[in-house]
Amino acid sequence: MRHTPWMHSNSLYHRHRFPAEIISHCVWLYFRFALSFRDVEEMLAMRGVYVSYETVQEWCLKFGQTYANGLRRKSPRPFDQWHLDEGSSRSTVASIIYGVR
């Protein structure tokens, strides 16, 4: 199906100049590694994508909350099961308490 100007997209990144992959990668870099907007701009310029730091800032303000909500949904919950290797923990505790090696 061919895209025509009067067709509407339900995409979050609709009507942006850059593809969604680049926008989401910028937002991910900024929030994941605590970089400055200029650092993200330089990293993308090294890969051949020329975008200003003001644009990165606008993207982070606009799409940052959506990104954070996605991370929150993927984070482990307190009720999730955490498995511990009991054999190694018992031997470590025994060596500490009883001096057994």
Side-chain angles (χ1 to χ4, degrees), residues 20 71 86:
L71 283 179
E86 296 174 8

Side-chain angles (χ1 to χ4, degrees), residues 1 14 17 25-26 32 35 40-41 52 69 80 83-84 89 98-99:
M1 178 184 226
H14 182 63
R17 178 178 169 213
H25 187 68
C26 285
R32 174 62 179 91
L35 300 172
V40 175
E41 174 190 18
S52 69
N69 291 343
D80 286 345
H83 300 284
L84 177 66
S89 64
Y98 302 112

